[in-house]
Amino acid sequence: LPEIIYGTAFKFEKTAPLVEAALKAGFRAIDTAGAKGAYREALVGEGIAAAIAGGVCTREELYIQTKFSPYKTGKDPLLYPYDTTSPIASQVIESVTSSLVNLGTEYIDCLVLHSIYPSMAETLVAYRAMESLTPDKVRSLGLSNIDLISLRHIYETATVKPVTVQNRFTRDTTPNPIFTPGLPHPLVPWDRDVRAYCHEMGIAYAPWGMLWGSLDNLDGKGRILEEFGKRVGVSREIACFAALRALGGWVSPLCGTTNEGRM
């Protein structure tokens, strides 16, 4: 699993050039999703294709991760790459078929369940459909925006165990009004319970959102990250990523910078 992943959420029309720039800068892992709310998966594919055509990398050197996003009531069905009225298992197959075309690849390195369903029964139907795609079209599976109880249940019942969990890394355990409504949040500050389980079971933990809204909290009143960064000649953002990588277990942070100079 990669040490750091380039996140493509909220890049919209700039997605393709930013993905190509990230690969030129040395990233070899890319995260995206088929649903169009925050992602533009087809443009991720364009960026990857441009990098490969330019000799920056080969497909075999890349770790391409995308997501199956369950339909949420009230959302525009056109945002989803599948018929939202079809059975869940069919939705998973249709979504992955679309992703393979969008990304211009014959296989996906990791398919992540973007969020769990209101019921565990529905969640397991989706996960089992994802399992059916391994190992040919999908090499590994992951989970996202998930609590400890649900994670443990899926892990204990799965035939193909999840290799990664992608959760928001924040101190907030309730909605914070300074952020976009609807953002997921952990039940325990800094997702400590989920991280501990991932460490115990050998699951890679992929934190997202730590630089926006959480960096000051992580830095603390003593400005620990900032001061450490000054001593070794790096920014506090890089110091933050280094600190996260040093946490127990395998941690693969998502970095979604749009600043090519910082890539």
Side-chain angles (χ1 to χ4, degrees):
L1 291 172
E3 293 186 355
I4 191 167
I5 305 171
Y6 186 68
T8 62
F10 304 110
K11 306 298 187 290
F12 302 120
E13 74 282 352
K14 297 179 180 179
T15 298
L18 285 170
V19 167
E20 184 180 6
L23 293 172
K24 286 181 178 179
F27 280 91
R28 289 296 179 267
I30 304 292
D31 173 81
T32 186
K36 295 179 181 179
Y39 296 88
R40 297 295 182 269
E41 190 180 58
L43 295 182
V44 170
E46 288 183 15
I48 290 172
I52 291 175
V56 174
C57 57
T58 65
R59 170 64 183 93
E60 292 68 30
E61 294 173 323
L62 299 180
Y63 180 93
I64 300 176
Q65 176 173 285
T66 192
K67 307 181 194 74
F68 166 69
S69 304
Y71 174 67
K72 294 186 183 298
T73 303
K75 294 288 186 179
D76 183 354
L78 296 178
L79 294 175
Y80 297 84
Y82 55 79
D83 180 356
T84 59
T85 65
S86 64
I88 290 174
S90 298
Q91 294 175 10
V92 171
I93 304 302
E94 192 175 347
S95 180
V96 171
T97 300
S98 173
S99 291
L100 291 169
V101 173
N102 285 341
L103 296 168
T105 184
E106 295 181 356
Y107 64 92
I108 292 165
D109 293 280
C110 187
L111 176 64
V112 174
L113 180 60
H114 206 166
S115 61
I116 60 175
Y117 285 84
S119 76
M120 181 52 63
E122 291 176 307
T123 299
L124 290 176
V125 168
Y127 194 83
R128 286 166 185 154
M130 292 165 60
E131 287 181 319
S132 74
L133 296 170
T134 62
D136 297 328
K137 293 182 179 180
V138 173
R139 298 293 166 85
S140 64
L141 302 179
L143 299 164
S144 184
N145 303 315
I146 191 166
D147 62 278
L148 175 59
I149 293 175
S150 301
L151 170 59
R152 180 184 286 117
H153 187 82
I154 293 172
Y155 190 87
E156 291 177 351
T157 58
T159 300
V160 180
K161 305 297 185 184
V163 300
T164 185
V165 167
Q166 187 179 124
N167 272 7
R168 185 176 171 212
F169 191 68
T170 177
R171 185 177 64 182
D172 297 332
T173 57
T174 57
N176 189 324
I178 70 171
F179 297 121
T180 304
L183 278 181
H185 52 76
L187 299 180
V188 176
W190 306 116
D191 216 19
R192 291 188 184 101
D193 56 341
V194 171
R195 288 195 290 112
Y197 186 77
C198 287
H199 189 187
E200 177 186 355
M201 307 310 297
I203 304 169
Y205 182 79
W208 65 269
M210 55 274 185
L211 294 188
W212 46 271
S214 293
L215 189 55
D216 287 340
N217 292 331
L218 289 168
D219 214 358
K221 293 181 179 180
R223 313 296 287 182
I224 297 172
L225 295 173
E226 185 175 334
E227 289 304 315
F228 176 77
K230 288 178 180 178
R231 292 185 184 184
V232 297
V234 300
S235 67
R236 70 170 182 158
E237 287 82 3
I238 292 177
C240 177
F241 282 123
L244 288 169
R245 290 281 299 132
L247 291 174
W250 186 269
V251 179
S252 298
L254 271 80
C255 173
T257 182
T258 58
N259 186 325
E260 295 184 25
R262 294 178 180 173
M263 289 180 176

